């Protein structure tokens, strides 16, 4: 008897339905075709044990299983459940009537317990799009899949529960999640706050500008000056997730199995902080079976690279293209996968190997030329893509001991939201552009109009401070954001003056 069950394969961050055809005829051979990997081939042993321990028999006949479409590689152990259901139905041990209405996914333990799998959110989205009635999967993944409305999601503890449901001998509890209610209840919950940081008002101002225009920023300062503490609070002043952004980000984290059983939808912007020993594949994504890297896991959030010069140069260089294009394409001989990577880069570094160059009270012990050599570990093209360079100085004891509280993240975020609203209206006609940092040269010429005083100011800055030509566009973008924060239609001289101040690493005498 020939029976069809349905599973799904995740390719990039999208899913494709896999039709599993099971034919049981006379003979004793077992054949599994359709480009399965080793984990799928090993399913025979897991399924045979799970069926036996739950009172069912492995058919002593010839079993031919085809996983279509046959040109897509099937990976992982998540196909155990649909394969087992197909074998039981084809050998007439269970009823096959419901199989055509449901996507089944789940890894089987030897005793028939269902283990969680990766990528259930894109699978659920695809199942709804293709008109399936429901999705049967491990209970640990049920809340994640239930984010998708108009699709019945049933979480099961073991294969016995699934078999009883298919035979109409038992019921599975449908998992229902009120996505909007949960999302809006938790979207502003963050334990960190800007008011925790004493002093550093100039740095907070720069971070506010960076958040308002989605600008990349690098913080340069001695150890203990608060660089990491400040960076970790950037997500608290970014605009809250929209439901669309939350769904898009959750899909990426679902593919790599980063969603826990209590989470249905991500409500906080991601903050990823990889260690400097990370490989280039782990950062941008890839591998034999491509997976998203840290830049994709930071999508719609913040990627924080602490101690930037300590990262391998090859690792930093592979970020150059994603920083411009806001996506990453991973190509292999037979296929290519594209992952989104629209993130805000926040980097920090010491000014020199000893850490005390330009320190107000401690002397730098680095030899002549060492400071510039240390800075040169970061290539010019990468610095070119960082809009704001800021020197951070240690906070004096007087400031640390003050009891007076500073501005909260909520107060800062209100100004950021207002500036973002102005930018949304400005770029409404330009697809894919939603913040000043994404402006190209054509848009800069259109939206950053300088008067005579402004032109003279930036000309003098370029000459006197030794600013590089690549700093010119970045200064104009940052100045446009500063003007937006003040709700000014035109960029004025004092906006330019502040933006010029944020290009310290471009100065020819820096580290000299």
């Amino acid at each position: 008897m020939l029976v069809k069950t349905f599973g799904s394969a995740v390719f990039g961050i999208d899913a494709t339905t896999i039709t599993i055809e099971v034919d049981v005829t006379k003979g004793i051979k077992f054949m599994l075709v359709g480009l399965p990997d080793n984990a799928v081939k090993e399913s025979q042993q897991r399924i045979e044990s799970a069926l036996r321990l739950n009172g069912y028999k492995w058919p002593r006949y010839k079993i031919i299983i085809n996983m279509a479409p046959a040109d897509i590689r099937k990976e992982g152990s998540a196909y155990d459940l649909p394969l087992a259901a197909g074998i039981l139905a084809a050998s007439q041990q269970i009823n096959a009537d419901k199989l055509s209405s449901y996507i089944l996914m789940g890894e089987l333990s030897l005793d028939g317990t269902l283990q969680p799998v990766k990528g259930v959110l894109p699978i659920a989205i695809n199942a709804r799009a293709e008109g399936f009635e429901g999705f049967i999967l491990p209970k640990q993944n049920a809340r994640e899949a239930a984010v998708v409305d108009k699709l019945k999601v049933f979480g099961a503890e073991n294969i016995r529960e699934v078999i009883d449901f298919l035979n109409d001998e038992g019921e599975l509890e449908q998992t229902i999640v009120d996505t909007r209610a949960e999302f809006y209840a938790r979207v502003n919950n963050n334990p960190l706050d800007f008011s925790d940081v004493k002093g550093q008002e100039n740095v907070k101002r720069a971070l506010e500008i960076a958040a308002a225009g989605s600008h990349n920023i690098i913080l340069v300062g001695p150890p203990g000056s608060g660089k990491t503490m400040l960076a970790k609070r950037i997500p608290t002043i970014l605009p809250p997730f929209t439901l669309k952004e939350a769904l898009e980000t959750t899909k990426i984290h679902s593919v790599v199995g980063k969603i826990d059983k209590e989470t249905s939808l991500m409500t906080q912007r991601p903050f990823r902080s990889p260690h400097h020993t990370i490989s280039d594949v782990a950062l941008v994504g890839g591998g034999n079976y491509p997976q998203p890297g840290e830049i994709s896991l930071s999508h719609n959030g913040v990627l924080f690279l602490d101690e930037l010069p300590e990262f391998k140069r090859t690792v930093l260089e592979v970020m150059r293209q994603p920083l411009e294009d806001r996506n990453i394409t991973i190509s292999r001989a037979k296929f290519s996968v594209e992952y989104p990577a629209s993130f805000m880069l926040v980097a920090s570094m010491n000014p020199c190997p000893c850490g005390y160059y330009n320190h107000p009270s401690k002397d730098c012990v680095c030899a002549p030329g060492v400071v510039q050599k240390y800075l040169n570990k970061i290539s010019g093209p990468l610095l070119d893509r960082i809009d704001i360079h800021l020197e951070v100085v240690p906070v004096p004891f007087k400031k640390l001991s003050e009891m007076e509280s500073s501005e909260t993240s909520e107060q800062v975020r209100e100004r950021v939201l207002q500036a973002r609203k102005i930018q949304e209206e400005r770029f409404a006609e330009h697809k894919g552009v939603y913040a000043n940092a994404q402006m190209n040269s054509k848009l800069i010429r259109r939206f950053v109009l300088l008067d005579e005083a402004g032109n003279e100011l930036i000309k003098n800055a370029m000459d006197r401070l030794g600013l590089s030509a690549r700093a010119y566009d970045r200064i104009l973008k940052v100045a446009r954001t500063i003007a937006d924060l003040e709700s000014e239609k035109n960029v004025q001289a004092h906006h330019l003056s502040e933006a010029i101040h944020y290009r310290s690493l471009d100065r020819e005498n820096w580290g000299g």
Side-chain angles (χ1 to χ4, degrees):
M1 182 178 176
L2 177 65
V3 169
K4 292 183 180 181
T5 62
F6 298 92
S8 198
V10 177
F11 192 69
I13 59 169
D14 298 309
T16 302
T17 299
I18 301 297
T19 303
I20 298 170
E21 303 167 313
V22 184
D23 183 27
V24 175
T25 58
K26 289 182 180 180
I28 55 172
K29 198 171 184 181
F30 176 82
M31 296 178 66
L32 179 59
V33 297
L35 216 59
D37 73 352
N38 286 334
V40 181
K41 291 175 183 176
E42 291 168 354
S43 63
Q44 180 185 355
Q45 283 71 37
R46 293 190 295 272
I47 294 170
E48 189 171 351
S49 174
L51 296 184
R52 178 171 51 81
L53 292 174
N54 282 275
Y56 291 88
K57 294 180 181 178
W58 179 268
R60 300 302 174 190
Y61 296 97
K62 183 178 181 180
I63 303 171
I64 302 174
I65 302 175
N66 178 44
M67 304 178 77
D71 60 341
I72 294 178
R73 187 159 185 81
K74 323 302 183 304
E75 303 166 14
S77 53
Y79 298 101
D80 290 359
L81 184 59
L83 287 170
I87 291 168
L88 288 173
S91 59
Q92 299 182 339
Q93 296 184 67
I94 66 169
N95 192 341
D97 294 344
K98 286 186 177 180
L99 289 176
S100 61
S101 302
Y102 292 89
I103 290 281
L104 281 72
M105 294 297 282
E107 176 188 334
L108 287 172
S109 295
L110 294 183
D111 63 355
T113 304
L114 287 173
Q115 300 295 330
V117 297
K118 297 178 182 178
V120 299
L121 182 54
I123 292 171
I125 292 169
N126 184 64
R128 180 184 63 181
E130 297 201 356
F132 284 93
E133 181 183 335
F135 184 11
I136 301 172
L137 73 168
K139 203 160 192 172
Q140 295 98 315
N141 296 124
R143 284 183 59 78
E144 184 184 338
V147 166
V148 180
D149 58 0
K150 299 178 184 175
L151 181 75
K152 294 178 181 177
V153 174
F154 299 103
E157 294 276 7
N158 52 60
I159 193 172
R160 166 61 69 182
E161 293 180 6
V162 178
I163 292 170
D164 289 346
F165 175 76
L166 294 174
N167 281 334
D168 293 320
E169 294 173 358
E171 287 295 323
L172 286 173
E173 183 182 350
Q174 184 179 348
T175 303
I176 299 172
V177 173
D178 189 337
T179 307
R180 290 183 182 276
E182 284 205 12
F183 174 73
Y184 290 115
R186 297 167 57 193
V187 72
N188 288 322
N189 290 350
N190 198 312
L192 303 177
D193 198 276
F194 249 42
S195 60
D196 301 334
V197 182
K198 301 290 184 183
Q200 301 291 22
E201 302 305 325
N202 64 320
V203 185
K204 291 179 186 176
R205 166 68 175 171
L207 295 182
E208 181 182 334
I209 294 166
S214 194
H215 298 289
N216 300 323
I217 184 170
I218 183 167
L219 305 174
V220 185
S225 56
K227 304 186 294 294
T228 303
M229 186 180 185
L230 285 156
K232 286 182 177 178
R233 281 153 181 76
I234 292 175
T236 67
I237 62 170
L238 289 172
F241 257 155
T242 63
L243 204 52
K244 181 183 176 184
E245 286 177 329
L247 191 64
E248 191 178 32
T249 307
T250 307
K251 275 176 72 176
I252 300 169
H253 285 249
S254 174
V255 168
V256 293
K258 298 283 185 183
I259 307 294
D260 61 60
K261 65 179 181 180
E262 301 300 326
T263 304
S264 56
L265 192 68
M266 291 179 66
T267 56
Q268 302 293 326
R269 291 189 180 273
F271 180 88
R272 306 291 299 181
S273 180
H275 193 260
H276 63 259
T277 55
I278 191 172
S279 68
D280 48 1
V281 170
L283 186 69
V284 300
N288 291 333
Y289 309 124
Q291 289 281 291
E294 288 291 336
I295 63 170
S296 296
L297 292 172
S298 308
H299 181 61
N300 290 325
V302 174
L303 176 66
F304 177 48
L305 301 184
D306 200 5
E307 304 300 342
L308 191 67
E310 303 304 325
F311 284 80
K312 287 184 288 187
R313 191 170 182 117
T314 54
V315 171
L316 297 178
E317 295 309 299
V318 294
M319 279 203 309
R320 282 157 53 175
Q321 178 262 333
L323 279 169
E324 289 289 328
D325 298 345
R326 298 189 178 269
N327 61 48
I328 178 72
T329 303
I330 298 163
S331 299
R332 295 292 178 266
K334 294 183 179 179
F335 62 89
S336 64
V337 179
E338 189 172 292
Y339 293 114
S342 181
F343 60 92
M344 179 178 162
L345 175 65
V346 179
S348 75
M349 60 178 283
N350 292 329
C352 65
C354 80
Y356 296 107
Y357 178 75
N358 271 357
H359 194 281
S361 59
K362 294 187 179 182
D363 293 330
C364 174
V365 296
C366 297
V370 169
V371 178
Q372 189 61 47
K373 185 179 179 182
Y374 188 69
L375 178 63
N376 286 344
K377 287 185 176 183
I378 307 163
S379 70
L382 182 62
L383 276 179
D384 183 33
R385 289 160 173 80
I386 300 177
D387 298 351
I388 298 175
H389 309 159
L390 192 69
E391 290 187 65
V392 184
V393 295
V395 182
F397 174 75
K398 186 179 177 183
K399 277 281 184 185
L400 286 174
S401 59
E402 282 180 359
M403 297 304 293
E404 185 180 337
S405 61
S406 57
E407 273 191 315
T408 64
S409 291
E410 190 175 351
Q411 291 171 305
V412 178
R413 184 164 55 191
E414 282 302 315
R415 297 195 293 271
V416 170
L417 283 168
Q418 191 60 38
R420 284 288 183 103
K421 189 176 179 183
I422 293 170
Q423 292 166 59
E424 282 177 22
E425 293 170 0
R426 176 184 299 135
F427 303 124
E429 301 173 2
H430 304 278
K431 188 178 179 183
V433 180
Y434 59 83
N436 290 331
Q438 298 167 333
M439 287 192 292
N440 56 30
S441 298
K442 185 177 179 181
L443 293 177
I444 291 172
R445 287 196 301 271
R446 179 177 172 184
F447 293 119
V448 188
L449 303 174
L450 303 181
D451 57 16
E452 190 175 337
N455 273 317
E456 188 64 25
L457 175 65
I458 198 165
K459 177 180 178 295
N460 289 337
M462 299 282 286
D463 293 339
R464 293 183 184 179
L465 300 177
L467 296 177
S468 64
R470 68 173 180 258
Y472 180 71
D473 280 358
R474 307 288 163 176
I475 290 171
L476 295 183
K477 289 180 185 182
V478 174
R480 179 67 269 175
T481 300
I482 296 169
D484 289 341
L485 281 167
E486 296 178 6
S487 300
E488 293 279 359
K489 186 176 181 181
N490 295 319
V491 174
Q492 297 173 11
H494 66 277
H495 302 141
L496 277 170
S497 180
E498 185 175 358
I500 291 164
H501 171 70
Y502 297 134
R503 297 299 299 184
S504 57
L505 296 186
D506 273 334
R507 296 174 190 171
E508 288 177 354
N509 62 348
W510 199 97

